[in-house]
Amino acid sequence: MKMKKVLCILLAAVMVLGTAACGKGESNDNAQNAPAEDTSAAENEDAAPDAGESEDAGDSEVQESAGATGTLKVAAVETAYGADMWTEVCAAFEQSHEGVTIELTVDKKLEDVITPEMKSGVYPDVILRAVGAESGLTETFVKDSNLVELTDVLAMTVPGESVTVGDKILPGFVENSICNPYGDGKTYLMPMFYGPCGLFFDQGLFTAKGWTVPETWDEMWELGDKAKEEGIALFTYPTAGYFDAFFYALLHESMGNDKFQEALRYGEGIWDTPEAQAVFDIIEKLASYTESTTPANANDNDFQKNQQLILDDKALFMPNGNWVIGEMAEAPRAEGFEWGFTALPAVTAGGERASYSFFEQVWMPAGAENQDLGKEFIAFLYSDVAAEIFAKSGAVQPIQGMTDKLDGDNKLYYSIYDNGAVAVMDAFAATEAVEGITTRATFFDPVNSLVTGDKTKEDWVNQIKADSDALRAALKE
């Protein structure tokens, strides 16, 4: 498995569950197409000063920021996208902002570089580091309330353009518990590079058969019956760990955001609601439509055999992320095979269709000295100029119209939200360690047993209820 990194198995409250890599021979819970290097622990003990006021940018092509001048310190973790894109973006900002100099730090082990200076009271003004890193750097700043509020950046005009930052960002990428960690409707982290997850299929097979991609789960079952008559299973999955993104998206579709957030915090009685029961019913039925050999190969050594079922037209749909295209690039495939990608079907006709998304964040520590200029720089990151620079390195931002600039498989993959899918970016809340219980073991791994028949839906739901009681009691507040 190509690296499947948990930059965002996101938390419903303040932080995420953690990171996990999915590589060949590695266990996995989540994925990211641009994994970051693990870094050493970092701590921040300074109290947060008041955030500075933002200033709107003008509309000229070469933008100058009134009062926002001087030296700006920018620190970004180097991921698979490389460091050059940050050098180029900073140069473009300097060129369009006379009198501004950027001191750029880009490193795979960013925390090792910036932590010593931060402990001495010298902070970067802008930091690109996502929640979920082993160091917990971002989570530490969130927990200690040492972030500059960035709500006003959403109202700023993108430098050199006539649209606001908030209007450019795709729906759902700000309205989540990562960007708004304190539940007060205020934004402290801004969304950057992202990667959606959904269902992959063979578009060539659908075209040849004259089949339509289901828009509801009722249509899914109808298609499953048609496919079964031709010896094709409706569904498969690489490993049960891939049900993380699937489960969150389905929960959001069925529950709506308010009950979804309650579920993520293991709310008492939430699993007895009709909305939760609908999710369990769908997964139970989906298990009955799953290729029977899937559980035997749903492990880190054999998972590609399950992925191969899609390429061989032996199964129709598979939850995954775009890394699967590269993983299976050299694999044999059915004649006319063509990758297709879709959001989950809606629970009810006309209802929400959702796709889980992993994303990185940019933010400002409360100790930043040049906050006005830092906000101006963050606004610039959403400009067409910056977005095109990032895209050349494969880093795609959740910006309106960005997918129009992509081609090939990337266009297929990233257009999912332009085509009406709702982006879901939250996950189960972090808790103190509870012996014998993990969210994966409780919510996702039992799918294997549902497929084999070794466990019933009732067994699974009862486990979820019991484990949720224990996890709720251990919530980190």
Side-chain angles (χ1 to χ4, degrees), residues 367-384:
E369 292 186 358
N370 206 338
Q371 295 184 11
D372 287 345
L373 184 57
K375 292 181 177 182
E376 180 83 3
F377 178 76
I378 291 174
F380 177 77
L381 296 179
Y382 297 92
S383 68
D384 290 345

Side-chain angles (χ1 to χ4, degrees), residues 100 154 276 311 389 438 448:
V100 170
L154 296 170
L311 279 72
I389 292 171
T438 66
N448 284 330

Side-chain angles (χ1 to χ4, degrees), residues 6 25 48 57 81 85 147 152 171 199 217 223 234 255 258 269 272 302 344 349 376 410 429 444 446:
V6 185
Y81 303 132
M85 65 181 189
L147 300 172
D152 51 355
L199 299 178
W217 283 103
L223 178 60
L234 176 65
M255 290 184 163
D258 288 345
D272 290 317
D302 301 316
L344 269 61
E376 180 83 3
N410 272 340
F444 313 135

Side-chain angles (χ1 to χ4, degrees), residues 103-423:
E103 292 182 2
L104 174 64
T105 300
V106 183
D107 200 280
K108 293 180 179 179
K109 296 185 180 296
L110 183 66
E111 285 87 338
D112 290 352
V113 177
I114 65 176
T115 296
E117 289 189 345
M118 291 194 297
K119 286 184 175 180
S120 65
V122 179
Y123 294 85
D125 296 299
V126 177
I127 297 176
L128 185 288
R129 191 51 164 137
V131 293
E134 183 177 313
S135 68
L137 175 68
T138 305
E139 288 89 339
T140 298
F141 275 78
V142 171
K143 180 180 177 181
D144 294 343
S145 298
N146 278 329
L147 300 172
V148 174
E149 183 186 342
L150 300 178
T151 308
D152 51 355
V153 174
L154 296 170
M156 291 174 64
T157 301
V158 177
E161 301 177 10
S162 58
V163 64
T164 66
V165 173
D167 286 341
K168 287 198 79 169
I169 297 175
L170 293 173
F173 277 88
V174 173
E175 303 83 3
N176 58 75
S177 61
I178 288 299
C179 293
N180 301 276
Y182 306 117
D184 56 3
K186 298 179 180 179
T187 300
Y188 288 84
L189 293 88
M190 295 287 288
M192 285 293 285
F193 318 122
Y194 76 107
C197 294
L199 299 178
F200 282 81
F201 63 97
D202 178 5
Q203 180 62 62
L205 175 64
F206 275 67
T207 300
K209 297 288 187 182
W211 291 340
T212 301
V213 176
E215 295 186 359
T216 67
W217 283 103
D218 284 341
E219 292 177 2
M220 190 73 138
W221 312 137
E222 293 174 5
L223 178 60
D225 292 336
K226 290 181 183 178
K228 186 176 181 180
E229 293 176 358
E230 302 196 26
I232 304 173
L234 176 65
F235 191 73
T236 188
Y237 52 88
T239 70
Y242 278 76
F243 268 85
D244 49 15
F246 180 96
F247 190 81
Y248 294 127
L250 186 57
L251 271 182
H252 197 277
E253 285 186 351
S254 183
M255 290 184 163
N257 192 61
D258 288 345
K259 286 187 176 179
F260 175 68
Q261 295 297 333
E262 186 178 349
L264 298 182
R265 294 185 64 78
Y266 322 104
E268 187 171 1
I270 191 65
W271 305 118
D272 290 317
T273 62
E275 294 85 356
Q277 292 299 315
V279 170
F280 298 140
D281 289 344
I282 287 172
I283 295 179
E284 177 191 38
K285 193 165 186 175
L286 188 60
S288 71
Y289 279 92
T290 298
E291 163 59 40
S292 61
T293 62
T294 296
N297 295 316
N299 57 70
D300 296 334
N301 294 322
D302 301 316
F303 70 94
Q304 287 190 338
K305 293 180 180 178
N306 290 334
Q307 295 179 169
Q308 187 66 42
L309 293 172
I310 301 298
L311 279 72
D312 291 339
D313 291 340
K314 294 181 178 179
L316 294 187
F317 291 101
M318 167 186 63
N320 221 310
N322 73 330
W323 54 87
V324 71
I325 296 174
E327 283 180 354
M328 306 304 288
E330 303 303 321
R333 58 203 63 208
E335 183 178 354
F337 180 89
E338 177 186 350
W339 284 111
F341 183 64
T342 185
L344 269 61
V347 174
T348 58
E352 171 184 301
R353 300 189 63 190
S355 166
Y356 195 84
S357 183
F358 301 101
F359 73 105
E360 300 179 60
Q361 305 91 40
V362 64
W363 46 278
M364 297 180 65
E369 292 186 358
N370 206 338
Q371 295 184 11
D372 287 345
L373 184 57
K375 292 181 177 182
E376 180 83 3
F377 178 76
I378 291 174
F380 177 77
L381 296 179
Y382 297 92
S383 68
D384 290 345
V385 172
E388 289 177 6
I389 292 171
F390 289 133
K392 286 190 303 182
S393 295
V396 179
Q397 297 160 276
I399 293 176
Q400 299 280 0
M402 191 64 211
T403 54
D404 294 338
K405 302 174 183 179
L406 305 176
D407 53 24
D409 290 330
N410 272 340
K411 185 173 183 63
L412 162 75
Y413 180 64
Y414 282 100
S415 294
I416 191 168
Y417 300 125
D418 290 343
N419 294 332
V422 172

